[in-house]
Amino acid sequence: MSSAPPLLPAGFGDLEPFVSRWAVDGTARRAALRSASTVAEREAFFAAAGPRLDDALASLDAKAFAAYSPADQRLMDLMLSLAHVALAVEIQVSTPG
């Protein structure tokens, strides 16, 4: 019996619940997803992925882009989505009302 390949690189399993929603490719798709998501969805993703950004970038920077596995690419897509979401979450937090 074989197990499914990991969705994300080792050490990032805590972010797997967000892969199906947030690991999308393309700037336009990420922007559309941010716009279509709820405040609660954005905040949950930001709270989980934000603190992992430095670790994710260190992991991704350790290899050439051409050597990325599918799991690495999903982690990259998550972090790029985080960049879109962070702006929305930080503006929401800092804007009264």
Side-chain angles (χ1 to χ4, degrees):
M1 182 152 106
S2 65
S3 60
L7 291 176
L8 294 171
F12 294 95
D14 58 312
L15 298 178
E16 285 189 1
F18 300 96
V19 168
S20 65
R21 175 81 169 146
W22 294 102
V24 298
D25 64 334
T27 301
R29 289 184 66 201
R30 286 188 283 274
L33 179 57
R34 181 195 66 216
S35 296
S37 62
T38 67
V39 170
E41 288 171 328
R42 291 189 300 269
E43 288 176 349
F45 177 53
F46 181 79
R52 302 304 315 277
L53 178 62
D54 289 341
D55 291 338
L57 294 178
S59 174
L60 293 167
D61 284 346
K63 60 179 76 173
F65 185 74
Y68 279 12
S69 67
D72 293 323
Q73 186 59 53
R74 282 188 287 273
L75 181 61
M76 173 64 88
D77 289 338
L78 276 180
M79 294 302 112
L80 291 170
S81 288
L82 176 63
H84 283 264
V85 168
L87 180 60
V89 171
E90 290 171 354
I91 288 173
Q92 291 165 359
V93 170
S94 66
T95 302

